Amino acid sequence: MTARRLLLLGAPGAGKGTQAERLVNKLGIPQISTGDMLREAVAVGTEIGVKARDYMERGELVPDEVVIGVAEERLGRDDARAGFILDGFPRTVAQAHALDEMLERMGSGIERCVALVIDEAAVIERLLKRAEIEGRSDDNEETIRNRMRVYQEQTAPLVAYYRENGVLAEVDGMGGIDEVGKRIEEALGA
Ligand code: ADP
């Protein structure tokens, strides 16, 4: 059986978004990216966007209560009932606890957490390349370094959290998109 309530974990630039999209096509379940949702909120200028903008520009995490609200609303929509691929959420231990609680209320839980393992130099190179292509305003060198530091401090502890929960699969994130994608499928039993 393929796991369908999935979480992708990895440093900024590890390829979470790319691999999430691949899984959307393969499994027919939605990708839930708090980064995409927050960027949209900033672009539209919603109340959440106004709250999130400065943190994002600096490469800091948006406060837990803001992001948890965004994720909960999205996970409650009909299309997430059959499964989902979380990309960029949770990013703190507090968010992971909140996620467990909300899924428990829905009578489910995370079935598999795929942690993409890559080296930091490769990540920074990827992010600088993406900055050129997409022109994201948080993709300059200083912010990238800050995002890496924030990841190490606040998000990396989640690897141990999901290992303890018995759902962790560590996957080598180095290599081509399809190569990494196949490793992920294997880890999911897809
Ligand atoms: P990255 O490639 O850096 O992982 P994302 O698109 O996932 O990019 O996130 C971009 C920014 O959005 C983050 O640097 C952060 O400011 C904010 N953000 C996204 N998800 C979260 C989250 N779960 N908690 C706090 N902040 C978040």
Side-chain angles (χ1 to χ4, degrees):
M1 247 299 267
T2 310
R4 300 180 79 80
R5 287 189 297 277
L6 314 175
L7 196 165
L8 291 181
L9 205 59
K16 296 184 300 288
T18 307
Q19 293 301 335
E21 264 170 47
R22 200 173 180 278
L23 289 170
V24 166
N25 295 326
K26 174 110 187 152
L27 303 176
I29 50 180
Q31 169 190 14
I32 298 184
S33 161
T34 44
D36 286 349
M37 287 189 281
L38 291 170
R39 268 187 293 282
E40 201 185 312
V42 170
V44 175
T46 64
E47 200 181 319
I48 285 168
V50 172
K51 283 184 194 155
R53 194 188 58 205
D54 290 347
Y55 296 100
M56 295 176 77
E57 290 287 335
R58 290 195 301 268
E60 303 286 341
L61 293 185
V62 174
D64 283 337
E65 65 271 18
V66 176
V67 183
I68 288 166
V70 168
E72 182 155 27
E73 189 275 322
R74 180 65 189 85
L75 280 164
R77 284 193 225 158
D78 279 352
D79 67 340
R81 264 195 228 155
F84 49 77
I85 305 148
L86 280 171
D87 155 19
F89 180 88
R91 250 177 163 94
T92 63
V93 173
Q95 290 178 19
H97 285 301
L99 174 63
D100 283 349
E101 276 164 27
M102 60 181 96
L103 291 179
E104 213 175 295
R105 280 199 296 276
M106 298 172 193
S108 72
I110 292 294
E111 291 174 302
R112 195 55 116 216
C113 168
V114 173
L116 290 173
V117 182
I118 61 158
D119 72 75
E120 200 171 307
V123 163
I124 289 172
E125 198 179 309
R126 266 190 213 175
L127 288 174
L128 288 171
K129 233 181 249 167
R130 186 169 77 185
E132 267 172 45
I133 298 165
E134 292 181 7
R136 258 172 57 168
S137 58
D138 62 349
D139 264 353
N140 63 68
E141 200 157 349
E142 193 193 328
T143 317
I144 287 169
R145 263 200 215 103
N146 198 29
R147 278 153 66 206
M148 291 301 296
R149 194 175 49 74
V150 167
Y151 175 79
Q152 290 304 339
E153 286 175 8
Q154 304 197 56
T155 309
L158 294 181
V159 173
Y161 180 84
Y162 287 105
R163 186 181 292 122
E164 277 158 29
N165 286 2
V167 296
L168 182 73
E170 284 182 285
V171 171
D172 179 4
M174 302 307 294
I177 292 174
D178 282 334
E179 204 181 341
V180 176
K182 292 216 172 80
R183 287 181 204 136
I184 293 175
E185 284 168 24
E186 236 166 76
L188 297 177

